[in-house]
């Protein structure tokens, strides 16, 4: 093989090199002890003495050219590598990506928000026993076994005669027996009714019960407490009004309506053009209920209310179907992130 051929072969191989480590392999192939340049040099013995000097110089020149070309290529590859690295550089000062974490269910968020409003008003916040006795849910509330008012609550029963509570009023007797006036307590928790479900009714839903017992407590205190709560919850001043209603455990029994939060009292399809939303049952606690709880109704009076939690959330966010809350549909749940 001639000097020129070895150079051509080297040039061809060099141009295909992409990695620094492969350059070293190429260097050994051509300049190593058994490399192509040394193999060429061994041919010197076959030449006449006059040509040996010239050939020796040619091979040495080839060796220097190869060394120089490898060095140039090394520089070239190093520069490319640095450029690529600087393009891919990680900027540790950039803000991180928000992790896709879960969040509290909207019902839990609202329960906490409502608990906070009532705590700021001086109320203690309790959770109900979810399974309780006939006594707690009915009898202690002035509803004996054969009372027709039992039909107001479609009740599930256990074989032992207990029940998943139909309303948070089931905690009233426990509160009167375990607290001394002045009593200010709110119960927020799940209730269960043996009802067919539709856009406004679930078999499992939440109520917010409240009781206030002290000397000289009147309906005026009840109305003002509700006005302050709803104005806080809906974020603006709202008018309220009451009309008579019936629950065996309050006398007088009332239904409280707030100015429609959607149309601001002008009249819309949600408030059936009336401008008002009837939103909760309430009233002055019946004297027999106080007596049953160990409180003397001649000394103390009080009021109680029961609000449907899902209903007031639905009004706040314009949710048209109560069944969304427990549908497990993440598109709905994530709106409350
Ligand atoms: C009661 O349960 C009474 N305990 C309220 C009360 C407490 C009156 C204290 C007086 C004094 P009612 O059955 O109307 O009342 O239920 C109260 C609220 O719970 C309703 O206005 C409604 O918002 C909600 N509610 C009732 N049934 C369902 C249901 N199946 N699905 C969703 N919400 C319901």
């Amino acid at each position: 093989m001639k000097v020129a051929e070895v150079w051509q072969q080297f040039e061809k191989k060099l141009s295909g090199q992409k990695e620094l480590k492969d350059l070293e392999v190429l260097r050994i192939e051509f300049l190593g002890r058994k490399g192509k340049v040394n193999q060429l040099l061994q041919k010197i013995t076959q030449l006449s003495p006059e040509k040996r000097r010239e050939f020796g110089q040619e091979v040495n020149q080839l060796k220097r050219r190869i060394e120089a070309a490898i060095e140039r290529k090394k520089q070239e590859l190093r520069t490319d590598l640095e450029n690529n690295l600087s393009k891919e550089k990680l900027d540790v000062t950039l803000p991180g990506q928000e992790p896709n974490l879960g969040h509290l269910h909207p019902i839990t968020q609202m329960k906490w928000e409502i608990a906070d409003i009532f705590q700021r008003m001086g109320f203690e916040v309790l959770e109900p026993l979810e399974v309780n006795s006939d006594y707690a849910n009915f009898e202690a509330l002035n509803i004996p076994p054969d009372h027709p008012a039992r039909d107001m609550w479609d009740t599930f029963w256990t074989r032992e005669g207990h029940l998943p509570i139909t309303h948070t009023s089931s905690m009233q007797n426990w509160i009167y027996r375990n607290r001394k006036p002045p009593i200010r307590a709110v119960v927020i928790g799940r209730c269960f009714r043996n009802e067919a479900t539709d856009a406004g009714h679930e078999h499992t839903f939440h109520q917010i019960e409240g009781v206030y017992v002290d000397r000289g407590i009147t309906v005026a205190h009840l109305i003002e407490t509700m006005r302050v709560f709803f104005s806080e919850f809906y974020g603006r001043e709202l008018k309220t009004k009451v009309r008579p209603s019936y629950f065996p455990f309050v006398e007088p029994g009332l239904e409280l309506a707030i100015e429609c939060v959607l149309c601001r009292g002008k009249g819309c399809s949600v408030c059936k053009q009336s401008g008002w939303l009837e939103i909760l049952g309430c009233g002055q606690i019946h004297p027999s209920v106080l007596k049953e709880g160990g409180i003397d109704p001649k000394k103390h009076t009080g009021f109680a209310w029961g609000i449907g939690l899902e209903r007031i959330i639905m009004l706040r966010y314009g949710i048209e179907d109560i069944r969304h809350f427990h549908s497990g549909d993440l598109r709905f749940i994530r709106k409350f992130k």
Side-chain angles (χ1 to χ4, degrees):
M1 199 185 273
K2 293 191 180 134
V3 171
E5 282 169 2
V6 172
W7 173 249
Q8 272 171 10
Q9 207 182 48
F10 169 77
E11 259 194 324
K12 202 170 161 202
K13 287 201 170 180
L14 184 72
S15 67
Q17 296 302 315
K18 297 266 183 290
E19 301 277 348
L20 275 168
K21 63 178 180 355
D22 296 339
L23 271 187
E24 182 57 13
V25 177
L26 189 69
R27 193 189 67 76
I28 293 166
E29 188 184 335
F30 282 85
L31 301 180
R33 209 154 46 84
K34 293 181 184 161
K36 294 213 159 103
V37 172
N38 271 347
Q39 286 168 21
L40 206 56
L41 206 53
Q42 276 160 21
K43 288 190 184 149
I44 206 163
T45 51
Q46 300 162 10
L47 298 175
S48 62
E50 312 80 69
K51 290 206 171 156
R52 280 187 190 177
R53 190 181 150 81
E54 197 186 329
F55 184 71
Q57 279 172 351
E58 257 184 80
V59 174
N60 272 337
Q61 209 181 359
L62 171 70
K63 198 173 164 185
R64 282 197 299 277
R65 278 177 84 188
I66 290 178
E67 279 169 352
I70 287 180
E71 200 45 46
R72 270 200 308 278
K73 187 77 180 178
K74 252 189 207 167
Q75 285 308 327
E76 219 176 88
L77 289 179
R78 273 197 196 114
T79 316
D80 287 352
L81 186 68
E82 275 160 20
N83 286 345
N84 287 343
L85 283 178
S86 69
K87 263 190 234 146
E88 289 165 15
K89 207 155 95 183
L90 182 70
D91 183 352
V92 289
T93 62
L94 283 174
Q97 269 184 351
E98 205 185 328
N100 189 14
L101 296 178
H103 60 92
L104 293 176
H105 189 277
I107 297 276
T108 309
Q109 293 180 30
M110 295 298 130
K111 268 167 71 175
W112 289 10
E113 185 180 325
I114 290 165
D116 185 56
I117 296 174
F118 282 115
Q119 275 167 337
R120 279 186 275 129
M121 290 165 81
F123 284 81
E124 165 190 16
V125 177
L126 302 165
E127 289 200 353
L129 286 174
E130 289 190 340
V131 175
N132 211 329
S133 59
D134 182 304
Y135 175 79
N137 200 82
F138 293 124
E139 285 175 52
L141 294 169
N142 228 4
I143 316 172
D146 297 322
H147 198 292
R150 285 204 175 202
D151 292 347
M152 291 165 75
W153 294 276
D154 300 295
T155 312
F156 293 109
W157 294 94
T158 69
R159 277 191 215 103
E160 297 77 18
H162 292 316
L163 48 90
I165 58 170
T166 58
H167 54 174
T168 41
S169 304
S170 58
M171 284 295 283
Q172 282 198 22
N173 185 263
W174 185 93
I175 294 170
Y176 305 142
R177 292 203 165 271
N178 289 278
R179 299 288 183 270
K180 286 193 168 53
I183 300 172
R184 282 184 296 265
V186 164
V187 183
I188 310 177
R190 288 199 298 176
C191 301
F192 310 85
R193 292 195 191 174
N194 193 354
E195 282 184 40
T197 62
D198 60 28
H201 295 84
E202 265 284 21
H203 49 71
T204 303
F205 59 99
H206 294 73
Q207 282 188 347
I208 311 153
E209 185 88 7
V211 293
Y212 193 158
V213 181
D214 201 357
R215 287 176 190 270
I217 298 296
T218 69
V219 170
H221 295 113
L222 162 63
I223 296 172
E224 182 58 9
T225 305
M226 290 296 97
R227 191 196 61 76
V228 171
F229 166 69
F230 283 112
S231 299
E232 276 281 310
F233 185 70
Y234 289 113
R236 65 186 175 84
E237 287 297 314
L238 286 172
K239 292 193 196 108
T240 55
K241 69 173 186 180
V242 288
R243 67 171 197 185
S245 183
Y246 174 70
F247 296 95
F249 35 92
V250 281
E251 182 57 40
L254 303 167
E255 204 157 65
L256 186 130
I258 56 170
E259 179 192 331
C260 179
V261 289
L262 300 172
C263 65
R264 303 192 170 218
K266 290 191 193 81
C268 67
S269 60
V270 173
C271 63
K272 300 194 182 84
Q273 311 305 329
S274 69
W276 295 96
L277 296 165
E278 278 155 12
I279 212 153
L280 67 122
C282 54
Q284 286 288 92
I285 302 164
H286 197 291
S288 334
V289 173
L290 286 177
K291 216 191 263 171
E292 189 66 26
I295 292 174
D296 182 354
K298 292 203 186 81
K299 282 196 200 145
H300 294 104
T301 53
F303 62 79
W305 76 81
I307 305 172
L309 175 63
E310 283 81 355
R311 297 253 171 100
I312 63 171
I313 303 174
M314 287 165 78
L315 286 171
R316 178 154 138 179
Y317 293 104
I319 299 164
E320 79 295 348
D321 195 321
I322 192 172
R323 291 166 294 193
H324 284 310
F325 287 109
H326 294 299
S327 63
D329 186 342
L330 291 178
R331 287 169 306 176
F332 172 77
I333 303 292
R334 286 194 178 127
K335 292 211 171 108
F336 296 86
K337 202 164 182 178

